[in-house]
């Protein structure tokens, strides 16, 4: 999908040179990749085949948006980010678990993810369930890892774990997935769609930003601003995901394009058409950037990430 042309219509405050964002993303992706390699269990011993299934999906080439958002939020608060890396890796493990389970035959039954056959296609359904469970549990090992206790007070660390746990649980990502499955083939209201998106996709994205905010010792005003930013980019992320399902290709997306329509899923383009949906995504990005008004140039990566979420093509 070509969004670049539409970038010119974004207000000046949301503009950054595309190459700067690309460079930042590549750099941060490499940092996250390196940390994941360091923290993730290696494929040896009696559990090698279980760990192989976890590693297969974790290292299949995701964009690492959630960990990068956490790091960028801490950066916006002038915090050194090295000690945040175990938390950033935990967020990616949680996200990867959700993708593995989302692809299972009992859920979306997809055979392609991140450009590769899905975990259950390669390792079988039972092992894919366990790989997801393993990644989710391992994430909590990382959230409470001795390295994650550096540069943060025990109270702030517990608060961060609580926020992440809430975001991915029954009143968060898992609840959203449940609502999403129940809504398949049903005629639902737009308000209900927003609720599903907010829980299923928005909650973990918002929690990633909030984790960075807590690590960066945000005061109440900064935390509220970063939370608003997180909610708006979470919304933009899901709207663009809906658009990419319509306009993207399977090759670009690394997952089956057109799957939403095939499953008769309620989406933004289904409600509003493609053109209006793009405007709604832009509006969410603009609101996200406006929420960052109280921050200085250190928040530039967050502003660039908001814009990237709109222009991404996978
Ligand atoms: C199974 C508990 C459970 C939850 C599943 C994440 C999720 C909830 C479902 C995935 C379905 C989906 C396509 C949601 C839209 C937004 C989304 C999470 C897209 C994938 O995230 P990206 O684009 O993926 O960050 P990469 O592969 O780059 O990490």
């Amino acid at each position: 999908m070509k969004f670049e042309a539409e970038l010119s219509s974004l207000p000046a405050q949301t503009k950054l040179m595309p190459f700067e964002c690309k460079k930042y993303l590549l750099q941060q992706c490499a940092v996250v990749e390196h940390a994941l390699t360091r923290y993730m269990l290696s494929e040896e011993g009696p559990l090698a085949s279980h760990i192989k299934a976890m590693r297969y999906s974790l290292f299949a080439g995701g964009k690492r948006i959630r960990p990068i958002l956490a790091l960028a939020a801490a950066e916006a608060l002038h915090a050194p980010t090295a000690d945040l890396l175990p938390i950033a890796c935990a967020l990616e493990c949680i996200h990867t678990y959700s993708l593995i389970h989302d692809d299972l035959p009992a859920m979306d039954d997809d055979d392609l993810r991140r450009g590769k056959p899905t975990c259950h296609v390669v390792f079988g359904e039972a092992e894919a369930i366990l790989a997801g469970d393993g990644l989710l549990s391992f994430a909590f090992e990382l959230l409470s890892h001795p390295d994650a206790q550096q540069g943060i007070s025990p109270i702030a660390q517990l608060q961060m774990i609580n926020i992440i746990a809430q975001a991915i649980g029954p009143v968060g990502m898992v609840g959203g997935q449940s609502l999403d499955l129940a809504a398949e083939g049903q005629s639902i209201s737009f308000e209900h769609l927003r609720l599903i998106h907010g829980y299923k996709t928005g909650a973990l994205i918002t929690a990633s930003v909030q984790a960075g905010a807590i690590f960066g010792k945000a005061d109440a005003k900064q935390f509220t601003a970063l939370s608003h930013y997180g909610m708006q980019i979470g919304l933009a992320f899901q709207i663009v995901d809906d658009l990419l399902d319509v306009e993207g290709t399977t090759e670009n997306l690394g997952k089956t394009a057109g799957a939403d329509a095939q499953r008769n899923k309620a989406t933004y383009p289904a409600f509003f058409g493609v053109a209006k949906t793009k405007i709604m995504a832009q509006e969410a990005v603009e609101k996200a950037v406006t929420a960052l008004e109280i921050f200085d140039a250190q928040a530039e990566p967050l502003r660039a990430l908001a814009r990237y979420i709109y222009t991404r093509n996978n």
Side-chain angles (χ1 to χ4, degrees):
M1 180 165 43
K2 293 264 177 282
F3 282 140
E4 279 76 5
E6 292 160 51
L7 276 178
S8 53
S9 61
L10 287 174
Q13 61 179 347
T14 67
K15 282 181 190 164
L16 262 182
M17 294 304 287
F19 77 92
E20 288 175 359
C21 181
K22 220 177 206 172
K23 194 170 153 199
Y24 177 83
L25 277 173
L26 282 172
Q27 266 170 4
Q28 293 303 82
C29 205
V31 167
V32 172
E33 218 64 43
H34 186 261
L36 282 171
T37 308
R38 178 170 161 224
Y39 285 112
M40 192 53 200
L41 304 163
S42 47
E43 257 174 72
E44 33 185 46
L47 293 169
S49 60
H50 173 54
I51 294 165
K52 189 176 182 175
M54 289 195 280
R55 291 184 67 99
Y56 172 81
S57 292
L58 188 63
F59 292 110
K63 297 183 289 298
R64 314 309 194 196
I65 290 295
R66 294 148 191 84
I68 292 174
L69 280 169
L71 296 173
E75 226 177 296
L77 293 156
H78 297 246
T81 53
D83 292 333
L84 185 57
L85 285 169
I87 306 293
C89 291
L91 294 165
E92 187 62 26
C93 288
I94 293 167
H95 168 59
T96 305
Y97 125 74
S98 79
L99 297 180
I100 295 174
H101 281 196
D102 183 64
D103 291 332
L104 287 168
M107 300 217 195
D108 275 4
D109 194 11
D110 268 313
D111 52 15
L112 195 66
R113 173 70 70 179
R114 293 178 163 172
K116 293 171 81 173
T118 40
C119 195
H120 67 269
V121 167
V122 178
F123 297 95
E125 206 175 327
E127 188 50 62
I129 293 170
L130 292 172
D133 293 343
L135 282 166
L136 173 60
S137 311
F138 186 66
F140 282 86
E141 253 185 82
L142 289 177
L143 290 171
S144 54
H145 193 283
D147 289 356
Q149 294 167 30
Q150 309 299 314
I152 187 168
S153 72
I155 290 176
Q157 192 186 10
L158 266 182
Q159 188 199 0
M160 185 196 285
I161 295 173
N162 180 262
I163 281 179
I164 294 170
Q166 274 193 44
I168 63 174
V171 191
M173 185 175 71
V174 170
Q177 179 76 350
S178 170
L179 288 176
D180 191 42
L181 291 173
E184 238 171 74
Q186 306 289 317
S187 153
I188 60 167
S189 67
F190 173 59
E191 286 66 36
H192 195 63
L193 177 69
R194 273 206 71 152
L195 192 73
I196 294 173
H197 283 174
Y199 284 139
K200 192 180 90 165
T201 313
L204 180 57
I205 289 178
T206 306
S208 301
V209 177
Q210 289 172 329
I214 292 170
F215 182 83
K217 303 183 175 58
D219 62 27
K221 192 174 167 197
Q222 291 167 329
F223 188 80
T224 303
L226 287 168
S227 301
H228 281 144
Y229 166 85
M231 282 183 247
Q232 290 302 328
I233 55 161
L235 175 62
F237 192 91
Q238 180 64 61
I239 299 177
V240 171
D241 206 75
D242 285 0
L243 277 167
L244 287 171
D245 192 70
V246 177
E247 294 199 325
T249 63
T250 299
E251 197 191 355
N252 252 354
L253 297 178
K255 63 177 182 177
T256 315
D260 290 344
Q262 229 168 36
R263 283 192 207 98
N264 201 15
K265 280 202 174 187
T267 62
Y268 271 72
F271 267 101
F272 302 107
V274 166
K276 176 140 191 247
T277 298
K278 286 183 183 176
I279 292 169
M280 292 170 97
Q282 279 187 354
E283 284 169 355
V285 168
E286 284 164 25
K287 280 184 192 163
V289 174
T290 303
L292 299 177
E293 263 168 358
I294 60 166
F295 296 95
D296 64 15
Q298 283 290 115
E300 217 49 33
L302 281 182
R303 297 185 183 101
L305 280 162
R307 178 175 164 272
Y308 161 75
I309 280 169
Y310 178 71
T311 57
R312 72 195 177 99
N313 66 0
N314 72 2

